[in-house]
Amino acid sequence: QLATLKKQLAEEQENKLDGYEGLRARVGKASRKSAKGNGGGSLGAVPKVRRLLKGHFGKVYALHWAGDGTNLVSASQDGKLIVWNAMANTKTHAIPLRSSWVMTCAFEQSKNGMVACGGLDNTCSIYQINQPQVTRSYKELAAHDGYLSCCKFVGESSILTSSGDSTCMFWDIETGTAKTTFSGHDGDVMSVSILPDVDPNVFVSGSCDSLAKLWDIRTGQCTMTLRGHESDINSVSFFPDGKAFGTGSDDSSCRFFDTRAVAQLAEFKNDFILCGITSCSFSNSGRILFAGYEDFNCLGWDVLGESSKYAYQLSGHENRVSCVGVSPTGQALATGSWDTLLKVWA
């Protein structure tokens, strides 16, 4: 009986290792079939610039789409938070910030009525934008001992923040208090990602200790630590089904981790990419991982393709691409850069 158990275990391990390769083969086959049907390549044409959003006078540091896929918010070190209607190419709000050293911004996803930002003021400032002119913040969340690197709304009543003090915090917006503090990283936490519609209790964080961690909001505990990067992780982005995530790092690579296998599945890099990745975002299907680079490019990697050959190269910015984001509808990709411009690609 022991012998049969051992044999079963060995087979299971084999299957697990073959699983991802098998998945690649299966999906690859499906893509090739659909490509034959479409009479073209398995991926669409290279996205083109459809909108150019001009209005910032300083480096754009962050952007985030609204849940409706039409509006987006951008933060720049000119001290302004601008809310755009990206489809109509118009500005709906220009919000003056108390501190111009802003590093992150977020759009509330369900009603699209709030935006948030933060930076070297160590504070997460929340603004209500369902009024013609916004001059004052609705709430200021201050408890972090370091700069605010990333913030994400979790429904209308909560927000998640990460900071240079090596912690993340989960806040009740109404009361302005931090409900849970997540400690465990040994370096500045640079990015968090959460999919409230898939699982509002789990988020992933990326840090300067080169680790990505998965957290349970209910317990406040780290449930998983994923290693692989050789330098700071600047950005994390959940795969659309919430069972995997992508990361971008100063080690010039993007990586793809599976939370069920607790393993790295792919590493997207090649010898010609020498600079760091500032930001990453998955297409709606999860097929493409878009990443912004310090060498002014945005690259799209085919998750099922070769990990050393990018599928798309989106050039056109004249300085570092600091932020990228795919709209919730999946119809557009926005990039923001230190050249003060935002571009919408489709």
Side-chain angles (χ1 to χ4, degrees):
Q1 206 175 2
L2 193 65
T4 49
L5 268 175
K6 276 185 178 169
K7 195 179 171 191
Q8 265 181 310
L9 264 174
E11 278 173 8
E12 280 297 312
Q13 279 178 323
E14 261 316 290
N15 292 343
K16 193 173 173 182
L17 285 172
D18 291 345
Y20 184 61
E21 291 305 322
L23 172 77
R24 288 175 77 146
R26 286 199 304 279
V27 180
K29 226 181 252 175
S31 298
R32 283 194 291 277
K33 264 189 193 161
S34 67
K36 275 178 190 163
N38 299 338
S42 56
L43 290 174
V46 179
K48 292 189 175 79
V49 177
R50 307 293 178 180
R51 299 283 186 276
L52 185 62
L53 306 181
K54 286 183 181 178
H56 281 299
F57 295 104
K59 295 172 177 176
V60 176
Y61 266 75
L63 68 85
H64 195 227
W65 285 92
D68 58 13
T70 302
N71 297 296
L72 67 87
V73 63
S74 60
S76 161
Q77 293 202 343
D78 60 8
K80 287 278 193 293
L81 205 61
I82 297 182
V83 181
W84 311 78
N85 180 325
M87 299 306 147
N89 206 340
T90 55
K91 301 174 193 70
T92 56
H93 293 90
I95 304 167
L97 304 175
R98 281 229 315 254
S99 159
S100 63
W101 305 107
V102 62
M103 294 174 72
T104 181
C105 61
F107 221 124
E108 192 276 310
Q109 297 292 294
S110 48
K111 298 248 177 80
N112 308 312
M114 288 187 286
V115 292
C117 70
L120 296 185
D121 59 355
N122 302 6
T123 304
C124 181
S125 306
I126 296 171
Y127 298 86
Q128 287 181 319
I129 55 167
N130 46 12
Q131 53 203 48
Q133 210 169 3
V134 185
T135 49
R136 297 185 46 223
S137 60
Y138 160 61
K139 281 279 187 284
E140 305 234 324
L141 311 177
H144 279 297
D145 295 327
Y147 61 85
L148 203 84
S149 57
C150 189
C151 58
K152 290 281 187 294
F153 282 96
V154 187
E156 285 177 274
S157 57
S158 307
I159 195 166
L160 187 64
T161 59
S162 65
S163 165
D165 64 10
S166 310
T167 68
C168 304
M169 287 187 185
F170 186 62
W171 302 79
D172 183 309
I173 294 173
E174 199 52 51
T175 61
T177 53
K179 290 195 277 192
T180 317
T181 301
F182 306 89
S183 310
H185 279 295
D186 292 325
D188 304 10
V189 186
M190 296 307 291
S191 176
V192 288
S193 179
I194 187 164
L195 296 175
D197 296 341
V198 178
D199 188 347
N201 298 312
V202 172
F203 74 93
V204 63
S205 63
S207 160
C208 290
D209 59 10
S210 75
L211 303 176
K213 287 179 180 281
L214 210 70
W215 304 84
D216 190 321
I217 287 176
R218 293 159 296 193
T219 62
Q221 298 301 310
C222 169
T223 56
M224 204 177 287
T225 300
L226 290 132
R227 294 171 167 79
H229 278 295
E230 291 154 25
S231 189
D232 306 6
I233 295 176
N234 294 320
S235 179
V236 290
S237 175
F238 257 125
F239 192 71
D241 70 356
K243 295 186 174 78
F245 62 89
T247 55
S249 162
D250 278 345
D251 66 9
S252 313
S253 75
C254 289
R255 297 183 194 225
F256 186 48
F257 295 96
D258 190 293
T259 55
R260 292 161 299 181
V262 197
Q264 177 183 306
L265 298 184
E267 179 182 4
F268 303 106
K269 65 167 193 178
N270 64 39
D271 296 340
F272 301 104
I273 300 169
L274 304 170
C275 64
I277 289 111
T278 56
S279 176
C280 62
S281 180
F282 278 103
S283 64
N284 255 25
S285 66
R287 177 73 189 266
I288 298 163
L289 176 61
F290 289 102
Y293 288 78
E294 290 171 3
D295 67 359
F296 315 174
N297 279 315
C298 173
L299 301 180
W301 298 92
D302 183 354
V303 171
L304 298 170
E306 259 187 78
S307 60
S308 60
K309 262 170 83 175
Y310 48 81
Y312 297 132
Q313 179 174 7
L314 311 180
S315 327
H317 280 295
E318 289 170 16
N319 206 328
R320 170 191 299 210
V321 176
S322 53
C323 44
V324 300
V326 174
S327 78
T329 56
Q331 293 173 333
L333 167 78
T335 57
S337 164
W338 282 12
D339 65 8
T340 74
L341 301 175
L342 291 122
K343 296 185 180 197
V344 180
W345 312 70

